[in-house]
CSV table of all heavy atoms in Angstrom, one decimal:
chain,number,residue,atom,x,y,z
A,1,LEU,N,0.8,-1.2,0.0
A,1,LEU,CA,0.0,0.0,0.0
A,1,LEU,C,0.9,1.3,0.0
A,1,LEU,O,0.6,2.2,-0.8
A,1,LEU,CB,-0.9,0.0,1.2
A,1,LEU,CG,-1.9,1.1,1.3
A,1,LEU,CD1,-2.9,1.2,0.1
A,1,LEU,CD2,-2.8,1.0,2.6
A,2,ALA,N,1.9,1.3,0.8
A,2,ALA,CA,2.8,2.4,0.9
A,2,ALA,C,3.5,2.6,-0.5
A,2,ALA,O,3.7,3.7,-1.0
A,2,ALA,CB,3.9,2.2,2.0
A,3,ARG,N,3.9,1.5,-1.1
A,3,ARG,CA,4.5,1.5,-2.4
A,3,ARG,C,3.6,2.1,-3.5
A,3,ARG,O,3.9,2.9,-4.3
A,3,ARG,CB,5.0,0.1,-2.8
A,3,ARG,CG,6.0,0.1,-3.9
A,3,ARG,CD,6.6,-1.3,-4.0
A,3,ARG,NE,7.4,-1.5,-5.1
A,3,ARG,CZ,8.7,-1.5,-5.1
A,3,ARG,NH1,9.4,-1.3,-4.0
A,3,ARG,NH2,9.4,-1.7,-6.2
A,4,ALA,N,2.3,1.7,-3.4
A,4,ALA,CA,1.3,2.2,-4.3
A,4,ALA,C,1.1,3.7,-4.2
A,4,ALA,O,1.0,4.4,-5.1
A,4,ALA,CB,0.0,1.4,-4.1
A,5,HIS,N,1.1,4.1,-2.9
A,5,HIS,CA,1.0,5.6,-2.7
A,5,HIS,C,2.2,6.3,-3.2
A,5,HIS,O,2.0,7.4,-3.8
A,5,HIS,CB,0.7,5.9,-1.2
A,5,HIS,CG,-0.6,5.5,-0.7
A,5,HIS,ND1,-0.9,5.1,0.6
A,5,HIS,CD2,-1.8,5.4,-1.4
A,5,HIS,CE1,-2.1,4.8,0.7
A,5,HIS,NE2,-2.7,5.0,-0.5
A,6,LEU,N,3.4,5.7,-3.0
A,6,LEU,CA,4.6,6.4,-3.6
A,6,LEU,C,4.5,6.5,-5.1
A,6,LEU,O,4.8,7.5,-5.7
A,6,LEU,CB,5.8,5.6,-3.2
A,6,LEU,CG,7.1,6.0,-3.9
A,6,LEU,CD1,7.5,7.4,-3.5
A,6,LEU,CD2,8.2,5.0,-3.5
A,7,ILE,N,4.1,5.4,-5.8
A,7,ILE,CA,3.9,5.4,-7.2
A,7,ILE,C,2.9,6.5,-7.6
A,7,ILE,O,3.1,7.3,-8.6
A,7,ILE,CB,3.5,4.1,-7.8
A,7,ILE,CG1,4.6,3.0,-7.5
A,7,ILE,CG2,3.2,4.1,-9.3
A,7,ILE,CD1,4.2,1.6,-7.7
A,8,GLN,N,1.8,6.6,-6.9
A,8,GLN,CA,0.7,7.6,-7.2
A,8,GLN,C,1.3,9.0,-7.1
A,8,GLN,O,1.1,9.9,-7.9
A,8,GLN,CB,-0.5,7.4,-6.3
A,8,GLN,CG,-1.3,6.2,-6.6
A,8,GLN,CD,-2.4,5.9,-5.6
A,8,GLN,OE1,-2.1,6.0,-4.4
A,8,GLN,NE2,-3.5,5.5,-6.0
A,9,ASP,N,2.1,9.2,-6.0
A,9,ASP,CA,2.7,10.5,-5.8
A,9,ASP,C,3.7,10.9,-6.9
A,9,ASP,O,3.7,12.0,-7.4
A,9,ASP,CB,3.3,10.6,-4.4
A,9,ASP,CG,2.4,10.6,-3.3
A,9,ASP,OD1,1.1,10.8,-3.5
A,9,ASP,OD2,2.8,10.4,-2.1
A,10,LEU,N,4.5,9.9,-7.2
A,10,LEU,CA,5.5,10.1,-8.3
A,10,LEU,C,4.8,10.5,-9.6
A,10,LEU,O,5.3,11.4,-10.3
A,10,LEU,CB,6.4,8.9,-8.4
A,10,LEU,CG,7.4,8.6,-7.3
A,10,LEU,CD1,8.0,7.2,-7.5
A,10,LEU,CD2,8.4,9.7,-7.2
A,11,LYS,N,3.8,9.8,-9.9
A,11,LYS,CA,3.1,10.0,-11.2
A,11,LYS,C,2.3,11.3,-11.2
A,11,LYS,O,2.4,12.1,-12.1
A,11,LYS,CB,2.2,8.8,-11.5
A,11,LYS,CG,2.9,7.6,-12.0
A,11,LYS,CD,1.9,6.5,-12.3
A,11,LYS,CE,1.8,6.1,-13.7
A,11,LYS,NZ,2.7,6.4,-14.8
A,12,SER,N,1.5,11.5,-10.2
A,12,SER,CA,0.5,12.6,-10.2
A,12,SER,C,1.2,13.9,-9.7
A,12,SER,O,1.0,15.0,-10.4
A,12,SER,CB,-0.7,12.3,-9.4
A,12,SER,OG,-0.4,12.1,-8.1
A,13,ASP,N,1.9,13.9,-8.6
A,13,ASP,CA,2.4,15.1,-8.0
A,13,ASP,C,3.7,15.6,-8.7
A,13,ASP,O,4.0,16.8,-8.8
A,13,ASP,CB,2.7,14.9,-6.5
A,13,ASP,CG,1.4,14.7,-5.8
A,13,ASP,OD1,0.3,15.0,-6.3
A,13,ASP,OD2,1.5,14.3,-4.6
A,14,LEU,N,4.5,14.6,-9.1
A,14,LEU,CA,5.9,14.9,-9.6
A,14,LEU,C,6.0,14.7,-11.1
A,14,LEU,O,7.0,15.1,-11.7
A,14,LEU,CB,6.9,14.1,-8.9
A,14,LEU,CG,7.0,14.4,-7.4
A,14,LEU,CD1,8.0,13.4,-6.7
A,14,LEU,CD2,7.4,15.8,-7.1
A,15,GLY,N,5.0,14.1,-11.8
A,15,GLY,CA,5.0,13.9,-13.2
A,15,GLY,C,6.1,13.0,-13.7
A,15,GLY,O,6.5,13.1,-14.8
A,16,VAL,N,6.5,12.0,-12.9
A,16,VAL,CA,7.5,11.0,-13.3
A,16,VAL,C,6.9,10.0,-14.3
A,16,VAL,O,5.8,9.5,-14.0
A,16,VAL,CB,8.0,10.3,-12.0
A,16,VAL,CG1,9.1,9.3,-12.4
A,16,VAL,CG2,8.6,11.3,-11.0
A,17,ASN,N,7.6,9.7,-15.3
A,17,ASN,CA,7.1,8.8,-16.3
A,17,ASN,C,7.4,7.4,-15.9
A,17,ASN,O,8.1,7.1,-14.9
A,17,ASN,CB,7.7,9.1,-17.7
A,17,ASN,CG,9.2,8.9,-17.8
A,17,ASN,OD1,9.8,8.3,-16.9
A,17,ASN,ND2,9.8,9.5,-18.8
A,18,ASP,N,6.9,6.4,-16.7
A,18,ASP,CA,7.1,5.0,-16.3
A,18,ASP,C,8.5,4.5,-16.1
A,18,ASP,O,8.8,3.8,-15.2
A,18,ASP,CB,6.4,4.1,-17.3
A,18,ASP,CG,4.9,4.1,-17.2
A,18,ASP,OD1,4.3,4.8,-16.3
A,18,ASP,OD2,4.2,3.5,-18.0
A,19,GLU,N,9.4,5.0,-17.0
A,19,GLU,CA,10.8,4.6,-16.9
A,19,GLU,C,11.4,5.2,-15.6
A,19,GLU,O,12.2,4.5,-14.9
A,19,GLU,CB,11.6,5.1,-18.1
A,19,GLU,CG,13.1,4.7,-18.0
A,19,GLU,CD,13.3,3.1,-18.0
A,19,GLU,OE1,12.5,2.4,-18.5
A,19,GLU,OE2,14.3,2.7,-17.4
A,20,GLY,N,11.0,6.4,-15.3
A,20,GLY,CA,11.5,7.1,-14.1
A,20,GLY,C,11.0,6.4,-12.8
A,20,GLY,O,11.7,6.2,-11.8
A,21,ILE,N,9.7,5.9,-12.9
A,21,ILE,CA,9.1,5.2,-11.7
A,21,ILE,C,10.0,3.9,-11.5
A,21,ILE,O,10.3,3.5,-10.4
A,21,ILE,CB,7.7,4.8,-12.0
A,21,ILE,CG1,6.9,6.1,-12.2
A,21,ILE,CG2,7.1,3.9,-10.9
A,21,ILE,CD1,5.9,6.4,-11.2
A,22,HIS,N,10.3,3.2,-12.6
A,22,HIS,CA,11.0,2.0,-12.5
A,22,HIS,C,12.4,2.2,-11.8
A,22,HIS,O,12.8,1.5,-10.9
A,22,HIS,CB,11.2,1.4,-13.9
A,22,HIS,CG,12.1,0.1,-13.9
A,22,HIS,ND1,11.6,-1.1,-13.5
A,22,HIS,CD2,13.4,-0.1,-14.2
A,22,HIS,CE1,12.6,-2.0,-13.6
A,22,HIS,NE2,13.7,-1.4,-14.0
A,23,ILE,N,13.0,3.3,-12.2
A,23,ILE,CA,14.3,3.6,-11.6
A,23,ILE,C,14.2,4.0,-10.2
A,23,ILE,O,15.0,3.5,-9.3
A,23,ILE,CB,15.0,4.8,-12.4
A,23,ILE,CG1,15.4,4.3,-13.8
A,23,ILE,CG2,16.2,5.4,-11.7
A,23,ILE,CD1,15.8,5.4,-14.8
A,24,VAL,N,13.2,4.8,-9.8
A,24,VAL,CA,13.0,5.2,-8.4
A,24,VAL,C,12.8,4.0,-7.6
A,24,VAL,O,13.3,3.8,-6.5
A,24,VAL,CB,11.9,6.3,-8.3
A,24,VAL,CG1,11.5,6.5,-6.8
A,24,VAL,CG2,12.3,7.6,-8.9
A,25,LEU,N,11.9,3.1,-8.0
A,25,LEU,CA,11.5,1.9,-7.2
A,25,LEU,C,12.7,1.0,-7.1
A,25,LEU,O,13.0,0.4,-6.0
A,25,LEU,CB,10.4,1.2,-7.8
A,25,LEU,CG,9.0,1.9,-7.8
A,25,LEU,CD1,8.0,1.1,-8.5
A,25,LEU,CD2,8.6,2.2,-6.4
A,26,HIS,N,13.5,0.9,-8.1
A,26,HIS,CA,14.8,0.1,-8.0
A,26,HIS,C,15.7,0.7,-7.0
A,26,HIS,O,16.3,-0.1,-6.2
A,26,HIS,CB,15.4,0.0,-9.4
A,26,HIS,CG,16.7,-0.8,-9.4
A,26,HIS,ND1,16.7,-2.1,-9.3
A,26,HIS,CD2,18.0,-0.4,-9.5
A,26,HIS,CE1,18.0,-2.5,-9.4
A,26,HIS,NE2,18.8,-1.5,-9.5
A,27,LEU,N,15.9,2.0,-7.0
A,27,LEU,CA,16.8,2.6,-6.0
A,27,LEU,C,16.2,2.5,-4.6
A,27,LEU,O,17.0,2.2,-3.7
A,27,LEU,CB,17.0,4.1,-6.4
A,27,LEU,CG,17.8,4.4,-7.6
A,27,LEU,CD1,17.7,5.8,-8.0
A,27,LEU,CD2,19.2,3.9,-7.5
A,28,VAL,N,14.9,2.6,-4.4
A,28,VAL,CA,14.3,2.4,-3.1
A,28,VAL,C,14.5,1.0,-2.6
A,28,VAL,O,14.9,0.8,-1.5
A,28,VAL,CB,12.8,2.8,-3.1
A,28,VAL,CG1,12.1,2.3,-1.9
A,28,VAL,CG2,12.6,4.3,-3.3
A,29,ASP,N,14.4,0.0,-3.5
A,29,ASP,CA,14.6,-1.4,-3.1
A,29,ASP,C,16.1,-1.6,-2.7
A,29,ASP,O,16.3,-2.3,-1.8
A,29,ASP,CB,14.2,-2.3,-4.3
A,29,ASP,CG,12.7,-2.3,-4.5
A,29,ASP,OD1,11.9,-1.9,-3.7
A,29,ASP,OD2,12.3,-2.8,-5.6
A,30,GLN,N,17.0,-1.0,-3.5
A,30,GLN,CA,18.4,-1.1,-3.1
A,30,GLN,C,18.7,-0.5,-1.8
A,30,GLN,O,19.4,-1.1,-1.0
A,30,GLN,CB,19.3,-0.5,-4.2
A,30,GLN,CG,19.4,-1.3,-5.4
A,30,GLN,CD,20.4,-0.6,-6.4
A,30,GLN,OE1,20.5,0.6,-6.5
A,30,GLN,NE2,21.0,-1.4,-7.2
C-alpha cells in the first residue's frame, strides 16, 4: 500500500514517467 501511494505521488504530483518510476523503485529497493 505504501509503495502504491509512492507510485501515485511520483506520477501525479511529480510527473514522473514509467521509466522514471522503474528507476526510483529500483533505487528504493536497493
Side-chain angles (χ1 to χ4, degrees):
L1 184 59
R3 195 169 173 104
H5 287 151
L6 172 61
I7 296 166
Q8 288 171 319
D9 289 346
L10 290 170
K11 285 180 112 15
S12 62
D13 295 345
L14 300 174
V16 178
N17 64 18
D18 287 356
E19 183 59 31
I21 299 245
H22 178 76
I23 291 167
V24 169
L25 293 177
H26 179 72
L27 291 172
V28 167
D29 291 343
Q30 285 184 329

